[in-house]
Amino acid sequence: MSILLAFTPFIAFAAIDRLVGPIEGLVAGALTSLALLVRDWLSPGRTPKLLEVGTALLFGGMALYAVLGHPDWSIIAVRLRVDAGLLLIVLITLAIGRPFTQQYARERVPAAYWDSPSFLRTNMVITAVWASAFLVMVVADLVLIYMPDVHPRVGIIATILALVGAIKFTGWYPEQAKRPAPG
């Protein structure tokens, strides 16, 4: 799924953040985001997607601020900003009626279906599920910040469950949406 590739900047951020530090993680996320955008611009038949553009702006802006402004952010505070930024990007795509999953679905679904109400509704639902997963991650970050006695594993487990749930739902729901309503 190319939609999962769009999340590689977040994976790069998480890995480098854990191994080296949050500023380096932000830079890794920014560079990975830019690489995805360049790939889309240079590949025939591909166009940059809203999620990838938003991710590049998020990581690029945060990395620039972190390098130039030297904020006193904890690792979890950086994660909160990244997760909240991702949630905001996804919510904006819903608000403007262009759910981020729609651009990825168009790569797999024939053009004849792109303007159908069911195609848009399916993508709105799937994007809303992703937004819910990112909201779980934001809440987990907030819990870890404001309830320091909570073990960090709780945040990791919440994040993994939210993401796995969104991934599974994304694979499952399109076929369910095609089925006629009972009755």
Side-chain angles (χ1 to χ4, degrees), residues 94-162:
L94 284 170
I96 65 173
R98 292 184 59 198
F100 86 92
T101 58
Q102 189 175 32
Q103 291 177 301
Y104 298 96
R106 285 182 173 180
E107 293 176 348
R108 297 179 22 179
V109 174
Y113 298 104
W114 293 359
D115 294 325
S116 74
S118 69
F119 182 75
L120 177 60
R121 185 175 46 256
T122 297
N123 281 283
M124 293 291 272
V125 169
I126 292 171
T127 298
V129 167
W130 279 98
S132 299
F134 301 139
L135 179 60
V136 166
M137 293 165 54
V138 167
V139 169
D141 295 339
L142 288 169
V143 166
L144 293 174
I145 288 172
Y146 292 107
M147 302 173 83
D149 293 340
V150 173
H151 197 283
R153 237 181 255 150
V154 171
I156 293 168
I157 292 168
T159 296
I160 290 170
L161 290 176

Side-chain angles (χ1 to χ4, degrees), residues 76-89:
I76 194 66
V78 174
R79 287 186 194 151
L80 172 62
R81 286 167 174 81
V82 168
D83 294 343
L86 179 57
L87 174 60
L88 182 62
I89 293 165

Side-chain angles (χ1 to χ4, degrees), residues 38-96:
V38 168
R39 175 206 63 171
D40 286 347
W41 281 319
L42 298 178
S43 299
R46 294 189 74 93
T47 58
K49 303 196 176 30
L50 291 173
L51 178 63
E52 293 165 0
V53 170
T55 299
L57 291 171
L58 171 67
F59 279 115
M62 287 184 64
L64 189 62
Y65 179 72
V67 169
L68 298 177
H70 305 291
D72 187 25
W73 291 338
S74 67
I75 290 175
I76 194 66
V78 174
R79 287 186 194 151
L80 172 62
R81 286 167 174 81
V82 168
D83 294 343
L86 179 57
L87 174 60
L88 182 62
I89 293 165
V90 171
L91 290 175
I92 288 170
T93 70
L94 284 170
I96 65 173

